Amino acid sequence: MSVSAEWVQLGKGKKGIPVYYRKKEIYTMQWENDSINISECMIAAANYGGPIALTRDPRKLLRFRGTDPRQYIFVFSSSGKRISKFEWQPQSNGSLLYMGWTEEETLICVTEDARVYVFDIFGKQLLQFSLLDDIKNVGILKVKHWENGLAILTKDFTVHVVADLNSPSCEEFAPLNVPKEYDDEKEIGMCVLTPQVSAHGDLEIIVSVPQHSSIFIVTEKQCLDVALENGPFPKIAPSPSGDAIATFNESGCLWVVKSDFTENHAEFDTQSKNPPSQIAWCGEDSVCLYWEPDQINNREGNVSLLLMIGPNGDYSTFTYDSPIHLVTENDGVRVITNDTCEFLQRVPDANFDIFKIGSLTPSAMLYDAYIEFEKKNASSIRNIRAIKAKLPGAVKSCLEAAANEFDASLQKSLLRAASYGKSFCEDFDHSEFVSTCKMLRVMNAIRDPSIGIPVTLEQYRRLTPAVIIDRLINRMQHLLAYRICNYLKIKPNNVLVHWACSKILSNEDDNIILDSVDTKLNECEGVPFSIVASTAYSVGKKNLAIQLLEREERASEQVPLLLNMGETKNALRKAIVSGETDLVYLVLLHMKSKMEVSNFFSIINEKGFRVARNLLVTYCKEQDIDFLKMFYHALDKSNEAAAMQVFESFSKDMQDQKKLLLQAKDLFNKKKEYQVDSKVCEEQIKLLQLQKELDQQAGREIFVGLSLSDTIYQCIMNGIKAAKKLKNEFKVPDKRYWWIRIAALAKLGKWNKLEKFSKKKSPIGFRPFVEACLNQGNTIEALKYIPKVTDSWEKVELYVELLRFKEAIEIAYQEKDVGMLRWIKSKSTNPKTKQTIDDLINKL
């Protein structure tokens, strides 16, 4: 039978070319022992060939069948193979109102009492939270979800939004200005446009209510009335791209409009006053409407109707003997029935060009040439010659068409045609053929009924292999995911880690688990054992977790988990070995906050932890002096504790400073080798007392806190006759005292006293006098002391600094020092001076 015989024409597209759609049965549903009737169930199906969640609809009155009265949620693949079954308890969980799938294939469940649950594909609860009390008190009218968020319309026509389920926070959007009366028998139309597709880049909730003929676009900041007159619209559905919206009004008219309601795309009168059960887009250019048997008047009994309407008002109908559920995909619509899973889509251009009746496109002629070649007919070569110039494009079309097909035999036929055609091409890129074969092999593997993910080529490209691998992992299809990784040359690290974590959860012996995990994970570089170890610890297998962590190469992953496991000493050892200071600090701060002080000090003082001790001291000196003193006392390091008392005293007032110094003095006295330090503390206390007396004498705070040298300096500066007393009391060396006095007298400008002082025998010479005068900018006074300088070189340097080259030259000549004369010459810029020096050098 011809491939195109199953196609259905739906009007004409651009350039008057007919538009065809095809409906392919992908699976016969494998419900197994689960008697499933879609009409009795609340159903939610994920897109991209995702899983199907089913549960008994609590809103319907159904005859009880079986022996188990409990309510369950079943999760099936698209082929009807059961993935999981878990109990839903209305008494504790609440009455189920809504189900939907996130982009990560987690199941959202919303209850009538405004609680939200999120489960993984196997029924493990990942998240639970309650919505606002106002929502619970008022009641929920409608719920819609998108990739990772929820929109709730309450019975007082208020929109609430949870923008991100990973960090749930319920926000109230702008209010709808409509009357509060509501007829429960009439349905609310509602859909969500995410910021990525909305016209203004905001999250938009489109709402139509029965008592109003228009539509409202609700955002966080405003509620916009579109001012329509052909509503209300009990059914609203956005296109996959969000560019258009399909609406169904109470008059039975399907209206397709641009998503910002500025442009009318199409209208179609269905002549049905009953709104359809579902409205779903089939790709981007046609809309499907589904009526249940009791919604239509038909003579054939229990028959469901699917109406597909194209962009130009053309339509086609499909009937079913059982209820169905529609799942919008970006390139078609998935039709789930009690018995089958079908896919309805527009015939891809590549397939249309090849298989339409009477097609003379290059790709069709290439395919015919291959068929004739298989029959060993010479006309095959004539076809090839006829399309020789267009052969590369024809080969690519055959590859594209093969990737668009679900039938494996048709895929092979098209691939062989492409292979046959490329053998006549001189410069064809063979990588495209290889990549298509790889894509098909992967798609066929996941389409297999045992897996049940019927992705199309377009969906495969949008998902990417990485996402497909993640979805296989989440379904525990580790072997297939691992093989795909190897086949596509993708690192299988995530697959191996997830497999290892699931292995940990099994009931096998820990040693067997360790051997198998160790063997498998070591096949790849950089596999994080820490994640597996964390899983082992979370299920109570601590010893196994420790052994797994020993195989982790990164200390940054080892240390935090060891701390969580209570393996503090081991964590500290690993941190020190790693050489990462931040990790050592992490362990130390954890120990400091979690452990008793005695245990902490005991561990930190053990052999091998010297680095940790040093880092602790460094940290405490800046952040926690009291803790450091406790540390030193506990380790009987009285000298270190005393040093900390002295260090701390510098930042205290006088009374506290004296107290701390007395404590330090007593600590230093405990050991003979620190008697000198004790004496220093004693002298500092004495100095503090004298400084206090000097402050009282000066009538203001000047001295307390100064060093001994600064104290003497300030005594001279302030005319307090205590400098010599301090010198004698603290045995200040004469040289230091002369330096201090010279600097103070020069600063005060008491040049006569300075000159008088210089007449005494100076222990430091006379250069300090010169420098003190120069520091105060007094060159005249400085010149008085240069002749008293005994060293000739120092005299010359000082004269040159004052630009007194004549005096410097005379000294150098008297000393008959040629080197000194040349040095003076290098410092001068005066030609006459330089000539004079040269003449003197010649004389010498």
Side-chain angles (χ1 to χ4, degrees), residues 530-545:
S530 58
I531 298 175
V532 187
S534 179
T535 301
Y537 179 67
S538 68
V539 296
K541 298 182 178 181
K542 183 176 178 180
N543 291 332
L544 177 59

Side-chain angles (χ1 to χ4, degrees), residues 400 403-404 436 439 456-465:
E400 185 84 7
N404 285 322
T436 301
M439 279 195 299
T456 62
L457 174 62
E458 178 66 21
Q459 293 168 23
Y460 177 88
R461 286 171 172 165
R462 290 197 180 205
L463 277 180
T464 73

Side-chain angles (χ1 to χ4, degrees), residues 323-593:
I324 67 174
H325 180 76
L326 304 178
V327 185
T328 296
E329 302 284 4
N330 61 290
D331 59 344
V333 62
R334 206 155 93 242
V335 183
I336 300 167
T337 75
N338 285 344
D339 305 310
T340 61
C341 175
E342 300 174 344
F343 190 67
L344 177 60
Q345 69 170 155
R346 180 173 176 170
V347 177
D349 293 340
N351 301 67
F352 176 75
D353 288 342
I354 294 172
F355 294 115
K356 73 176 178 180
I357 297 173
S359 176
L360 294 176
T361 61
S363 54
M365 293 183 70
L366 173 58
Y367 186 72
D368 289 341
Y370 164 71
I371 297 299
E372 295 301 318
F373 172 74
E374 286 286 292
K375 296 176 182 178
K376 299 181 180 180
N377 195 326
S379 61
S380 171
I381 298 299
R382 288 198 298 271
N383 281 354
I384 292 294
R385 288 172 180 167
I387 59 170
K388 182 67 176 178
K390 300 178 181 178
L391 199 52
V395 172
K396 290 182 180 181
S397 293
C398 285
L399 291 175
E400 185 84 7
N404 285 322
E405 291 293 341
F406 281 88
D407 189 327
S409 62
L410 197 53
Q411 292 172 2
K412 290 177 182 177
S413 181
L414 287 162
L415 286 174
R416 285 171 181 158
S419 179
Y420 178 63
K422 74 183 180 69
S423 64
F424 294 95
C425 298
E426 296 178 359
D427 299 318
F428 188 80
D429 184 5
H430 299 280
S431 63
E432 189 169 347
F433 183 87
V434 174
S435 63
T436 301
C437 292
K438 284 185 174 182
M439 279 195 299
L440 273 172
R441 190 170 180 184
V442 172
M443 286 193 291
N444 288 339
I446 63 176
R447 286 171 181 171
D448 187 87
S450 62
I451 306 298
I453 306 179
V455 293
T456 62
L457 174 62
E458 178 66 21
Q459 293 168 23
Y460 177 88
R461 286 171 172 165
R462 290 197 180 205
L463 277 180
T464 73
V467 175
I468 288 172
I469 289 166
D470 286 342
R471 295 192 172 190
L472 289 172
I473 291 171
N474 292 335
R475 297 188 187 202
M476 297 296 179
Q477 297 292 340
H478 299 109
L479 180 58
L480 178 58
Y482 183 75
R483 286 174 175 171
I484 290 174
C485 285
N486 288 336
Y487 184 64
L488 298 178
K489 293 181 172 57
I490 298 172
K491 277 192 172 184
N493 292 15
N494 290 344
V495 180
L496 292 174
V497 169
H498 197 280
W499 166 82
C501 291
S502 63
K503 191 80 172 172
I504 295 292
L505 300 176
S506 69
N507 295 322
E508 290 185 49
D509 181 74
D510 285 358
N511 292 326
I512 296 174
I513 293 173
L514 180 63
D515 289 341
S516 59
V517 169
D518 189 24
T519 302
K520 205 67 183 174
L521 266 61
N522 278 320
E523 291 180 4
C524 298
E525 293 183 1
V527 178
F529 278 86
S530 58
I531 298 175
V532 187
S534 179
T535 301
Y537 179 67
S538 68
V539 296
K541 298 182 178 181
K542 183 176 178 180
N543 291 332
L544 177 59
I546 294 172
Q547 293 179 75
L548 286 166
L549 266 185
E550 289 297 325
R551 290 153 173 80
E552 175 60 61
E553 297 176 354
R554 295 166 297 175
S556 59
E557 298 293 332
Q558 283 180 316
V559 171
L561 185 53
L562 284 169
L563 289 176
N564 289 339
M565 294 163 58
E567 293 291 316
T568 310
K569 195 181 296 185
N570 197 6
L572 185 57
R573 191 173 293 109
K574 295 286 186 185
I576 292 171
V577 171
S578 73
E580 296 184 29
T581 306
D582 289 345
L583 279 180
V584 181
Y585 275 128
L586 174 68
V587 179
L588 289 174
L589 293 176
H590 177 87
M591 294 169 69
K592 182 174 177 287
S593 62

